[in-house]
Amino acid sequence: MSDVVEKTLTALPSLLSFDSQPGAAKLSSTSKLASLIRGITELTSKHEEEKLIQQELVAIKDQVSSPNTSMRQMKELMVRAIYCEMLGYEASFCYIHAIKLAQQGTALDKRVGYLAVALFLHESHELLLLLVNTVLKDLQSTNLIEVCMALTIVSQLFPKDMIPAILPLVEEKLTHPKEIIRRKAVLALYKFYLIAPNQVQHIHNKFRKALCDKDPGVMTASLHIYLQMIKENPEGYKDLTGSFVTILKQVVGGKLPMDYNYHSVPSPWLQIQLLRILSLLGKDDQSSSEIMYEVLDESLRRAEMNHNITYAILYECVKCIYTIHPKDELLEKAAKCIGNFILSPKINLKYIGLKALTYVVQQDPKLALQHQMTIIECLDHPDLIIKRETLELLFRITNGKNVTVIVEKLLDFLRTSKDDYTTIDLMGKVAEVAEKYAPDNKWFIATMNTVFSLGGDLMQPDIPNNFLKLISEGFDDGEQDRMLRLFAVDSYVSLLQGEPEKLPQRFLQVISWVLGEYSHLREDLEPATVVRLLAHVLDLKQASSETKSWVLLAMTKLCEGEAAMSVLQGVSETYSSSMDTVLRQRAQELQNLHLNPELWARVLPRDAFTEPLEVDSSLSFLDGYVSEALAAGAAPYKSPHQRQEELAQAKAVSMEPYGLSLPISMSLSSLDGRQSPTLLSMSSGLSGDSTDHSHKAGTTTLKLDKVKRVWGREGYLAQRESAVVEVPSPVHSADQIEEVGISQDPTPPPVADQEKQQLASSLFVGLGSQTSSSLMGKSEPKHQRLRKKAKDPVSSSEISKQTSNSIFPPPISVDNLLCNSNMDPKNHGVHLSACHVHKDDTLVLLVFISNSSNSDVHQFIVQVDSGDVEVSCLSESPVEELRCHHVEVCQYSLTAKRPSVHLEVSGLVSFNMPDRTPQTTHFSYKLPLPSFIRPLELSTEEYGTMWLAFSHDTKQNLTLVADVQDSLRATLDVLERKLHLHVVAIIGMEGIVACRLLPDQPCLMHCRVHGGTLAVWLRSPVPDLPDCLLYHCQRALQEV
C-alpha cells in the first residue's frame, strides 16, 4: 500500500500542474494534499477518518474565504476538496469558488476549476446557471485549450433547457480547422441528441460531413450518433450502408494511422462499432446484406484468435452474420468460430462462446445440438458465470419436450444461488417456461410451488399476479380448468397442514387467495377446515400485515353459513381494533358479511371473475378534485420513476476508502511475479487462487541443504522406447466404425458419461435431428464401440505384410476416418482407417487404405493438410494404384504449428473405379494436444533459468489423487504417464515438471500441495500453450 501511495503522490503534480518549475517531480513532504493522503491511509478506523476530514474541511473553508488566497493556492484547495468529496464528505462551500476559478485566471487555473465543477455539480444544480456565460465566452476564445474545456463541460453537465443558448456555437466548431475541436463538438452534439433529439434534427447533414471527415477521430465520434439514430430508425439510413462498409474495409485493411492500433489490431473499437451498425442496417434486408458479405468475411479472416480484443471482434462478427440476411458460407465460418470459443479451456472464451450460442439459437435452435456434451459439462463448471450463461442457453432452447429437465436444472441452481439478482432472474425464467410449456396441470402447480418457496419475497410481483390470473381465467377447456384449480387446492391444503411458518409471505398470499376462491371445488373439504388453517396463518409471528389482509379476505369468502363461527368471530374481534387501517377494514367486512348472508351473496358471488369489468384507467372521476387542488397550490403529481430520478441526483457520492490488501509483515519481494519457483515457494502469493501468507519472508525459499541432487540430465528415468503406439480417441463417422485385422473389446463408457449422454438426450430433444448442420462444420460425434467387421476379405496377415517393411511397429488399433462423401463403401469396397504413432521428435500418422472389392482402383491420390499441424509425407512413393483385396499404408509426419486443445488433420482421397467413374471422399482426424507433447529433460538450474525467461503463464488449482500416502508424487505420476511430461524434481510438498510441444516449444510447470489441492503454475514462451496443457491436466486427473 505504501508503494501505491508514493506512486499516487508522484503522479499528482504532473496531472494538476501545481508547480511548473523544472524538477518539481514530487509533492514536497510539507504539501498539504500529500499530508492529507498519507494521513488518511495511516488511519485504522472510520471514526478517525471522519474527524480528520472534518478538520480538513474547516481549514479549506477558512482559506477559500480569505481574500489573500492566491490562484495557485486556490487550485490546491480545490483538489483537496475534490478528494474529500470522493470519500463521501460534503464540501458544498467550495462549489461557488470552483465556478469562480473556472471564470478567472490562466488556462491551468481554468482547467482545475472546470474539473472541480464537473465533479461537484449535476445537470439540475442551481449554480450551473452561473457557468453559462463563462462557457459561451470560452467557446468563442482563440485559445484551443479553453475551447476544449468548454466543449467538455458542455458534454458533461449542460441540461436540455440550456442547449438553445450554446447550440449555434457548438455547430460552428464542426468546421473548425483543428481535429480535436471538431471531435469534441461531435461528442457534444451526441450528448444533445441523447437528452433532446428534437433540438438537433436540423443538423443531420452536418453529421454526414463528420462521417466523411479526413480525421479518423472525428469520424469515429460521429459513429456514436449514427448508432443511436439507426437503432431508432434503421430505414432512414439504408443509403449509408455502402459508406459504413467502405470505412470498415479501410479499417480492417490497416489504412488508419498506427496510433489507432491496439496490440497490432487496427482500431478494434471502431470495428466493433461498425459491425453493430451493419447488423442493424442488414437485418431483414437482403440487398443491404449482400454489400456486407465481403467485408464480414475479411473481418473474420483477419481477426485471428490470439488476443482478447480480437475475441471481441469475432463475437461481434458472429452476431452480425446471424442478424443480417443469411449466407451459407459466412454462417459456416461463424459456426466454426463459436465452436472454437466453446471448446476453449479458457473460461473467458468459453463464456463468449456460450454467449454467442445463446444469441444464435434464437435464430436456429438446432445448432445447440452440436455441442451437447460441452454444454452438459458447463452445467457442472465451477465458475458460476459459466453455469449461469449455460442455464440462459438452456432457457432459450426450451420446448414442450424438454421443459421438465431444463426446469429441474434451473431449480437446482436456484436452490444453491446466493445472489439476489440471479435468484430474481431465474424465478422469472422458470415461471415463464412453466406457464408456456407445462406438460400437465399437476407438474405446473408443483413447479410454481417450488418457485414460490425458493424465491421467497425476492420475486417480482408480476409472477404471483400472472399465476393467479392464469388460475382464474383458465383455458378454453372447462374440465381442464377445474382440474388445475383442484390440484392447486389439494397442494395448498397439504402445505398449510404441514409447516406454514416456513413459507414465504407472497406464497402465503397466493395460497390464501386460491383457497378463498376455489376450496369449494373439493367436495370432501369442509369450509370450516379451511378457515381454521387460515386462522393458523394469522397466528404466525412472521406473518406481515399484507399477508394477514389476504387471509382475512379469503376467510370473508368462506364465511357462508355456520362454518367455524367461533373462529370467525374471534378473528373479527381481534382485528377490529387493530392499529392497521387495512386490517381493521377487512375485519369489519368479515363481521358484517358473516352476519348478513344475503349481502355476502351479492358482494362476493362465486365465479364472478368471468364477468367483464369496466375500468376507468384515466381516473377521470378525479378531474374535479385534482383541478381544485392545483388551483389551491398543490404540487403536480410525479410518477415513482421521476421521484426516484430526483432522489438519485440529489444523493451525494459516498465511497468507502480501501483497506489494506496485504498483511504489513509480508515481504514486498513476494509480489515479484518473475521469481523462479526453484527459488521461491508458492506460498509467497504466486499460486493463483490458493495463497498462503503465513510464511515469513525469510522462509520462502526451498531448503536444499543436505539434499542429494539426483535429478540431473540423466536422472532416474526408465529407458523409453523409441516409438510408442497410442490408441487414439475414437474418430467418429456417420458409417459404422470398423476395425481392420485386430479385434479389441474397448472398455465401456463410464457411468458418469452415460448419465451425461442421457441428460443430453433429455435436454436437447425436440431441437431437430442429430445430423443437422454443425457449429464446427460437422455433426457432433457419437460415442460408439469399436467392433470387428463381420465379413472382411482383408486379413490381418495382409496388414502385417504391408507394415513389416516399415520402420514403424504395427499399430495396436486403427480408427475409421470420418468420411464425408456420396460413396457407398459396400459398392466400391474402399475403406479408410488410421492410427498415430509416437516418436521422440515427431508424431507419425498411418493412413490405411483397403480395397475389399474384386477390381483394382486406379489413379489413386491421397492429399493430407491441416491448418493446425505441419504435415510431411514419409512414404517413399505415393500410392497410385490400389489392387483388389489389398491394403496400402501412407505415412505422414506431424508437428504442431500452434497449440490448441485438439488439433485436426483433414484430407482428400480421389480415385477412378474400373468403369472410369471418379470418386472423391473427404476425411478428418482429430488429435489431442498430449499426442504432440514430449518430455523435456532438464536440470534444476536450467529449469530456473528458463522459467525467468518465459512470459506467458497461467495458474489453477487441480484435484490431487486421493487415498494414497504421497498424493503429490501419485498425481505427478498420473500426469507424467498420460501427458508425457518429465518430472524434474520433487522436494517436500513442491515439484517441478517440464515438457515440450513438438517440435521444440517448451513449457514448464511448478506444483505445490496447498489446502488439499494442487496449486499449478505453468509458463511457456508460446502464448496459448499453458492454457491448453492445463485443460488436459484437468481432464487427466478427472479420469483417475
Side-chain angles (χ1 to χ4, degrees):
M1 178 60 74
S2 59
D3 281 353
V4 175
V5 174
E6 290 298 331
K7 290 179 180 178
T8 304
L9 298 180
T10 303
L12 280 174
S14 59
L15 176 65
L16 302 172
S17 302
F18 286 150
D19 197 344
S20 58
Q21 298 299 324
K26 283 190 176 183
L27 288 176
S28 66
S29 58
T30 59
S31 169
K32 293 185 178 180
L33 176 61
S35 302
L36 174 62
I37 296 175
R38 288 195 181 94
I40 292 176
T41 56
E42 293 172 358
L43 298 178
T44 58
S45 68
K46 185 70 175 177
H47 176 72
E48 294 179 357
E49 179 190 288
E50 292 178 359
K51 185 177 180 180
L52 177 62
I53 295 296
Q54 293 300 332
Q55 293 175 356
E56 181 71 17
L57 290 175
V58 170
I60 294 174
K61 187 174 184 180
D62 293 340
Q63 292 185 53
V64 296
S65 304
S66 173
N68 299 323
T69 303
S70 64
M71 284 295 176
R72 185 177 183 279
Q73 292 172 335
M74 187 64 74
K75 284 193 299 182
E76 184 174 1
L77 291 172
M78 287 299 105
V79 176
R80 287 158 58 190
I82 290 173
Y83 190 78
C84 293
E85 285 249 346
M86 288 173 57
L87 294 178
Y89 301 91
E90 185 182 5
S92 57
F93 59 86
C94 284
Y95 296 176
I96 187 65
H97 296 284
I99 294 177
K100 290 180 179 179
L101 189 61
Q103 295 172 341
Q104 304 169 0
T106 64
L108 294 178
D109 299 333
K110 295 171 73 70
R111 177 189 181 190
V112 177
Y114 273 124
L115 174 63
V117 168
L119 295 174
F120 286 156
L121 307 183
H122 52 79
E123 289 185 357
S124 58
H125 201 284
E126 56 187 6
L127 292 180
L128 199 60
L129 287 171
L130 302 178
L131 199 64
V132 175
N133 287 333
T134 303
V135 171
L136 291 173
K137 183 182 69 174
D138 289 341
L139 284 175
Q140 301 176 58
S141 173
T142 57
N143 189 325
L144 294 180
I145 297 178
E146 293 181 353
V147 177
C148 287
M149 289 188 294
L151 289 172
T152 302
I153 205 70
V154 162
S155 303
Q156 291 182 346
L157 286 184
F158 271 45
K160 59 182 179 181
D161 55 348
M162 294 185 183
I163 291 177
I166 57 175
L167 183 58
L169 292 176
V170 176
E171 287 184 50
E172 291 179 5
K173 303 308 174 187
L174 291 175
T175 58
H176 198 278
K178 286 296 182 179
E179 298 85 357
I180 187 172
I181 302 297
R182 297 200 302 272
R183 182 166 68 247
K184 287 185 175 292
V186 170
L187 292 176
L189 292 174
Y190 172 58
K191 171 64 180 300
F192 296 165
Y193 182 83
L194 292 179
I195 61 177
N198 295 332
Q199 298 190 29
V200 293
Q201 291 289 344
H202 62 286
I203 56 174
H204 279 196
N205 290 332
K206 295 185 178 180
F207 290 160
R208 294 185 177 237
K209 291 182 180 179
L211 182 65
C212 302
D213 196 281
K214 61 182 179 180
D215 181 70
V218 180
M219 179 267 295
T220 303
S222 68
L223 293 181
H224 295 285
I225 301 177
Y226 275 105
L227 179 60
Q228 192 67 30
M229 293 190 298
I230 292 172
K231 281 182 180 178
E232 298 171 359
N233 180 27
E235 296 298 328
Y237 301 93
K238 296 285 187 179
D239 58 318
L240 291 177
T241 303
S243 301
F244 291 122
V245 169
T246 302
I247 294 173
L248 184 56
K249 283 183 179 179
Q250 295 177 359
V251 174
V252 173
K255 300 298 179 62
L256 296 188
M258 294 292 293
D259 295 341
Y260 289 88
N261 288 5
Y262 177 76
H263 285 269
S264 302
V265 180
S267 304
W269 288 276
L270 180 56
Q271 291 189 50
I272 291 172
Q273 196 86 322
L274 288 167
L275 288 169
R276 290 174 179 171
I277 291 175
L278 293 180
S279 64
L280 294 172
L281 293 174
K283 186 176 183 180
D284 301 327
D285 188 338
Q286 183 175 356
S287 59
S288 298
S289 300
E290 290 174 351
I291 304 175
M292 310 173 189
Y293 291 153
E294 182 182 353
V295 70
L296 290 176
D297 191 10
E298 184 71 9
S299 298
L300 279 177
R301 187 181 66 83
R302 288 180 177 267
E304 298 179 356
M305 298 180 64
N306 56 3
H307 194 274
N308 285 340
I309 195 62
T310 59
Y311 304 148
I313 295 174
L314 288 172
Y315 175 71
E316 291 295 336
C317 280
V318 169
K319 288 183 63 177
C320 183
I321 289 171
Y322 275 96
T323 302
I324 65 175
H325 191 274
K327 182 181 180 182
D328 292 340
E329 295 179 5
L330 286 178
L331 291 176
E332 183 179 351
K333 292 180 179 180
K336 185 175 180 180
C337 181
I338 295 175
N340 291 334
F341 279 138
I342 292 179
L343 297 176
S344 173
K346 295 182 178 180
I347 292 179
N348 290 339
L349 298 190
K350 190 178 291 292
Y351 173 77
I352 292 177
L354 290 171
K355 196 82 174 174
L357 187 57
T358 302
Y359 180 82
V360 167
V361 294
Q362 299 179 44
Q363 281 77 24
D364 187 3
K366 297 179 182 179
L367 293 177
L369 287 168
Q370 316 311 322
H371 290 279
Q372 311 177 33
M373 300 310 298
T374 304
I375 295 173
I376 296 300
E377 291 177 359
C378 289
L379 284 174
D380 299 324
H381 201 281
D383 190 281
L384 292 179
I385 302 300
I386 297 293
K387 189 180 294 185
R388 193 168 68 187
E389 190 60 36
T390 307
L391 293 175
E392 177 70 23
L393 172 60
L394 295 181
F395 168 72
R396 299 291 181 185
I397 64 173
T398 306
N399 55 54
K401 297 181 179 179
N402 61 10
V403 62
T404 56
V405 183
I406 290 181
V407 165
E408 185 60 34
K409 288 295 176 184
L410 293 173
L411 292 177
D412 287 343
F413 186 80
L414 190 59
R415 291 184 180 97
T416 59
S417 175
K418 305 297 183 183
D419 179 56
D420 290 348
Y421 170 80
T422 304
T423 300
I424 295 172
D425 183 54
L426 285 181
M427 283 189 299
K429 286 181 170 57
V430 174
E432 180 180 344
V433 298
E435 180 180 340
K436 191 174 182 180
Y437 300 111
D440 54 67
N441 293 333
K442 190 173 183 179
W443 180 89
F444 174 68
I445 295 297
T447 300
M448 293 306 298
N449 289 351
T450 307
V451 171
F452 292 141
S453 300
L454 295 177
D457 298 324
L458 290 174
M459 73 179 70
Q460 298 294 336
D462 59 334
I463 296 178
N465 292 344
N466 291 339
F467 174 74
L468 295 180
K469 183 179 180 182
L470 179 64
I471 293 289
S472 63
E473 294 180 353
F475 309 98
D476 295 335
D477 190 343
E479 183 61 25
Q480 287 292 328
D481 296 345
R482 180 179 176 280
M483 294 302 298
L484 175 65
R485 295 160 186 163
L486 191 56
F487 280 137
V489 170
D490 291 341
S491 174
Y492 296 156
V493 169
S494 300
L495 289 173
L496 291 185
Q497 289 174 344
E499 297 177 327
E501 63 275 3
K502 294 183 179 179
L503 300 178
Q505 297 299 306
R506 287 192 176 170
F507 195 11
L508 289 173
Q509 296 166 15
V510 170
I511 292 174
S512 302
W513 188 90
V514 172
L515 292 180
E517 289 284 346
Y518 303 113
S519 60
H520 66 275
L521 295 177
R522 182 173 165 180
E523 297 177 356
D524 61 336
L525 184 63
E526 296 293 335
T529 304
V530 181
V531 169
R532 293 189 185 92
L533 292 174
L534 293 175
H536 179 58
V537 175
L538 289 175
D539 296 335
L540 298 177
K541 293 182 179 180
Q542 64 270 26
S544 64
S545 297
E546 184 180 2
T547 301
K548 291 180 180 180
S549 175
W550 283 69
V551 173
L552 288 173
L553 182 59
M555 296 176 73
T556 305
K557 298 175 184 178
L558 297 171
C559 68
E560 181 183 11
E562 302 298 325
M565 180 180 297
S566 61
V567 176
L568 293 174
Q569 288 180 350
V571 169
S572 60
E573 291 175 359
T574 301
Y575 290 97
S576 294
S577 58
S578 173
M579 299 296 293
D580 190 305
T581 56
V582 176
L583 293 181
R584 192 162 62 248
Q585 176 185 345
R586 296 298 182 208
Q588 292 291 338
E589 292 172 354
L590 171 62
Q591 186 176 10
N592 294 327
L593 292 177
H594 176 61
L595 298 176
N596 192 340
E598 294 182 2
L599 179 61
W600 176 87
R602 292 203 310 270
V603 173
L604 295 173
R606 287 180 178 172
D607 299 332
F609 57 85
T610 57
E611 300 177 2
L613 296 177
E614 295 184 3
V615 179
D616 184 4
S617 58
S618 64
L619 302 180
S620 58
F621 58 90
L622 293 176
D623 288 348
Y625 171 79
V626 172
S627 300
E628 292 177 3
L630 291 176
Y637 171 76
K638 293 182 179 179
S639 64
H641 178 68
Q642 290 176 312
R643 292 197 295 269
Q644 289 294 333
E645 283 188 346
E646 292 179 0
L647 287 174
Q649 291 177 353
K651 237 177 192 179
V653 178
S654 178
M655 299 178 63
E656 294 291 335
Y658 291 115
L660 293 175
S661 59
L662 295 174
I664 300 298
S665 60
M666 172 174 284
S667 171
L668 292 177
S669 64
S670 65
L671 299 177
D672 184 5
R674 305 292 298 171
Q675 293 289 338
S676 169
T678 59
L679 301 177
L680 179 65
S681 170
M682 292 291 285
S683 64
S684 60
L686 300 174
S687 59
D689 296 334
S690 59
T691 307
D692 183 7
H693 300 307
S694 61
H695 295 272
K696 296 181 180 179
T699 60
T700 55
T701 58
L702 290 173
K703 296 181 179 180
L704 302 177
D705 298 336
K706 300 181 181 179
V707 176
K708 185 178 180 181
R709 295 181 178 272
V710 295
W711 301 98
R713 290 180 178 274
E714 301 300 327
Y716 291 118
L717 297 176
Q719 188 67 26
R720 289 178 171 81
E721 296 179 1
S722 61
V724 179
V725 180
E726 178 179 307
V727 181
S729 57
V731 179
H732 310 284
S733 170
D735 304 322
Q736 292 183 344
I737 296 181
E738 303 171 8
E739 181 182 359
V740 182
I742 301 175
S743 174
Q744 180 176 344
D745 293 332
T747 304
V751 177
D753 290 346
Q754 292 180 352
E755 292 177 354
K756 287 182 179 180
Q757 291 192 19
Q758 292 176 0
L759 178 60
S761 63
S762 302
L763 287 174
F764 299 95
V765 65
L767 297 184
S769 63
Q770 295 290 339
T771 57
S772 60
S773 176
S774 169
L775 286 173
M776 297 297 290
K778 54 182 179 295
S779 299
E780 187 178 55
K782 300 178 182 179
H783 294 283
Q784 304 182 31
R785 289 189 175 187
L786 294 173
R787 60 188 181 206
K788 186 176 180 179
K789 189 176 179 181
K791 295 181 180 179
D792 194 343
V794 183
S795 64
S796 60
S797 60
E798 290 180 282
I799 295 182
S800 301
K801 189 182 300 180
Q802 293 295 325
T803 58
S804 59
N805 297 327
S806 172
I807 59 174
F808 305 105
I812 296 175
S813 175
V814 293
D815 300 317
N816 188 57
L817 289 174
L818 177 60
C819 298
N820 182 17
S821 70
N822 298 323
M823 299 189 307
D824 185 359
K826 295 182 180 179
N827 294 332
H828 59 66
V830 176
H831 304 275
L832 301 177
S833 55
C835 71
H836 55 277
V837 181
H838 282 205
K839 295 280 289 181
D840 288 341
D841 57 348
T842 187
L843 182 72
V844 178
L845 175 65
L846 302 178
V847 180
F848 299 90
I849 310 149
S850 62
N851 182 6
S852 59
S853 67
N854 296 323
S855 304
D856 295 345
V857 176
H858 303 283
Q859 296 184 1
F860 201 93
I861 300 175
V862 181
Q863 299 175 350
V864 179
D865 194 12
S866 173
D868 302 329
V869 178
E870 190 74 36
V871 182
S872 59
C873 183
L874 298 178
S875 303
E876 296 181 357
S877 58
V879 179
E880 297 180 353
E881 182 179 1
L882 185 60
R883 291 175 295 164
C884 61
H885 304 298
H886 195 75
V887 176
E888 290 287 349
V889 182
C890 299
Q891 305 170 5
Y892 299 92
S893 174
L894 308 179
T895 55
K897 291 181 180 178
R898 56 179 177 268
S900 180
V901 175
H902 293 91
L903 298 96
E904 190 172 17
V905 178
S906 58
L908 173 70
V909 176
S910 60
F911 55 89
N912 287 344
M913 298 299 292
D915 58 356
R916 300 295 180 181
T917 303
Q919 298 285 350
T920 303
T921 182
H922 298 269
F923 65 86
S924 63
Y925 190 82
K926 185 174 287 187
L927 293 157
L929 181 69
S931 299
F932 295 88
I933 295 295
R934 297 293 181 271
L936 180 60
E937 299 184 5
L938 299 171
S939 66
T940 54
E941 291 81 3
E942 293 171 330
Y943 182 97
T945 302
M946 294 175 65
W947 181 273
L948 294 174
F950 296 164
S951 58
H952 301 284
D953 62 352
T954 188
K955 304 171 186 177
Q956 185 68 41
N957 290 346
L958 303 181
T959 305
L960 284 166
V961 176
D963 301 329
V964 292
Q965 185 176 2
D966 190 347
S967 57
L968 175 60
R969 185 175 295 277
T971 303
L972 293 184
D973 287 344
V974 171
L975 297 179
E976 182 178 24
R977 182 176 68 256
K978 292 191 173 186
L979 304 183
H980 317 125
L981 310 179
H982 170 60
V983 179
V984 180
I986 299 177
I987 303 175
M989 304 302 289
E990 303 191 27
I992 51 178
V993 182
C995 65
R996 62 186 175 95
L997 177 67
L998 292 176
D1000 54 0
Q1001 298 174 347
C1003 184
L1004 307 180
M1005 180 166 65
H1006 179 227
C1007 311
R1008 176 176 176 269
V1009 177
H1010 176 79
T1013 60
L1014 185 67
V1016 175
W1017 188 10
L1018 293 98
R1019 271 195 176 181
S1020 174
V1022 184
D1024 295 330
L1025 183 54
D1027 293 299
C1028 297
L1029 186 58
L1030 179 60
Y1031 170 80
H1032 285 284
C1033 289
Q1034 293 173 326
R1035 297 297 296 268
L1037 294 178
Q1038 289 174 359
E1039 295 170 359
V1040 176

